[in-house]
Amino acid sequence: MDESEIRRLRWHCRRGMLELDELLLRWLDREALSANETDMANFQRLLAVEDDQLWRWVMGLQHPDDKELSELLQRILALPA
């Protein structure tokens, strides 16, 4: 993944809520360079989720129906601050 792709993803990590920004950027900064193609594709799909839906998932109020998104989200939430 080249620098322009990282910058594009970084821009898409900027959400309406600081908490979501921090979670998504944390994964991007720590995991993206070593992530496989499937994880990167799932991360991009996660970025396409509306903020309110993503927030309900993060808070545990709902869970993604998609198993791959659910697993990625759990890995993101497990990253230390």
Side-chain angles (χ1 to χ4, degrees):
M1 186 171 7
D2 64 16
E3 186 61 35
S4 65
E5 180 69 10
I6 294 288
R7 282 194 309 269
R8 185 185 71 77
L9 289 172
R10 183 172 295 287
W11 176 255
H12 288 287
C13 287
R14 296 176 53 102
R15 311 301 283 223
M17 293 182 212
L18 180 61
E19 295 86 352
L20 291 179
D21 294 0
E22 290 177 357
L23 281 173
L24 296 170
L25 287 169
R26 184 178 306 144
W27 188 87
L28 184 65
D29 291 340
R30 295 181 188 177
E31 304 293 327
L33 291 178
S34 62
N36 61 39
E37 289 182 27
T38 301
D39 282 344
M40 289 309 300
N42 288 330
F43 185 68
Q44 290 182 38
R45 288 190 316 128
L46 192 64
L47 291 177
V49 173
E50 294 291 328
D51 286 352
D52 60 333
Q53 181 65 62
L54 186 55
W55 183 247
R56 285 192 295 273
W57 292 349
V58 166
M59 294 303 295
L61 302 173
Q62 295 178 346
H63 302 284
D65 292 332
D66 184 303
K67 180 183 175 195
E68 291 177 327
L69 287 184
S70 182
E71 289 172 356
L72 178 60
L73 185 60
Q74 291 309 308
R75 289 182 14 227
I76 291 171
L77 292 171
L79 287 172

